[in-house]
Amino acid sequence: MNNKSVEEQPGFLNLLQCKCPRCRIGNMFINKKPYSKGFMKMHETCEVCGQYFDIEVGFYYGSGYVSYGITVAMSIFTFLLWWLIIGISYDDDRIFGWLIFTGVLMLALQPILMRISRTMWLAMIVKYDPDWKINAAEKPERTNEDQKNNW
């Protein structure tokens, strides 16, 4: 890594690393490995800046839209790449080769895509705060604390 600190990296790189969008340092997920048991378990708050990750009940249902957009973009990218390298023809089954390749690729990348989608969804609401050391994180309003983990 070069001399840039984590805070000076572009926000997109921090999203790919699943860092807190507010401070860009703390990890959002408890387990850093996306292919292990419990890979989607998140910290309650950022371990560095105190940002709450559970904004409201059912907040991360919206990350499905982000995941959908990413998978559509990846499918288009793999289609264009397949078309340029292998070609698409109506005379043979090369299109089915692309479909199988893309399906297997999406299944293999699913844990990573789910984590990145959650990080991007949160980053749409919580913006980077260069003064996060001074400004305290806002506590979200939860309507029913007892129902927190029933979703």
Side-chain angles (χ1 to χ4, degrees):
M1 195 160 123
N2 57 14
N3 294 342
K4 284 188 173 184
S5 71
V6 176
E7 294 177 80
E8 293 174 359
Q9 289 182 8
F12 185 72
L13 292 178
N14 292 312
L15 288 177
L16 293 177
Q17 295 173 355
C18 297
K19 300 290 184 183
C20 170
R22 183 169 179 261
C23 67
R24 296 182 180 171
I25 298 172
N27 293 316
M28 286 183 56
F29 295 93
I30 294 170
N31 193 343
K32 293 182 183 180
K33 300 175 184 174
Y35 292 103
S36 60
K37 188 175 182 179
F39 71 96
M40 290 300 288
K41 292 191 182 202
M42 297 176 68
H43 294 285
E44 286 279 328
T45 60
C46 177
E47 19 184 51
V48 176
C49 70
Q51 172 62 46
Y52 289 88
F53 293 143
D54 195 12
I55 303 293
E56 64 183 29
V57 176
F59 174 73
Y60 289 105
Y61 285 135
S63 67
Y65 295 108
V66 177
S67 179
Y68 177 74
I70 292 171
T71 56
V72 166
M74 285 182 64
S75 295
I76 292 170
F77 177 75
T78 59
F79 180 79
L80 293 174
L81 201 61
W82 191 275
W83 183 34
L84 290 172
I85 295 172
I86 297 172
I88 301 293
S89 174
Y90 296 109
D91 299 330
D92 56 18
D93 294 335
R94 285 186 266 180
I95 189 78
F96 294 112
W98 168 76
L99 285 171
I100 292 169
F101 170 77
T102 303
V104 170
L105 179 68
M106 293 302 165
L107 284 174
L109 293 177
Q110 193 59 35
I112 295 170
L113 294 176
M114 289 171 63
R115 289 167 63 118
I116 290 173
S117 297
R118 277 194 176 194
T119 306
M120 290 177 76
W121 185 249
L122 183 64
M124 289 181 196
I125 305 300
V126 177
K127 302 299 179 200
Y128 173 65
D129 183 6
D131 298 323
W132 61 268
K133 292 178 183 175
I134 300 168
N135 303 331
E138 293 181 27
K139 183 172 172 129
E141 295 181 27
R142 177 167 289 286
T143 54
N144 191 344
E145 192 70 28
D146 297 332
Q147 297 296 319
K148 180 177 178 181
N149 295 316
N150 291 340
W151 301 97

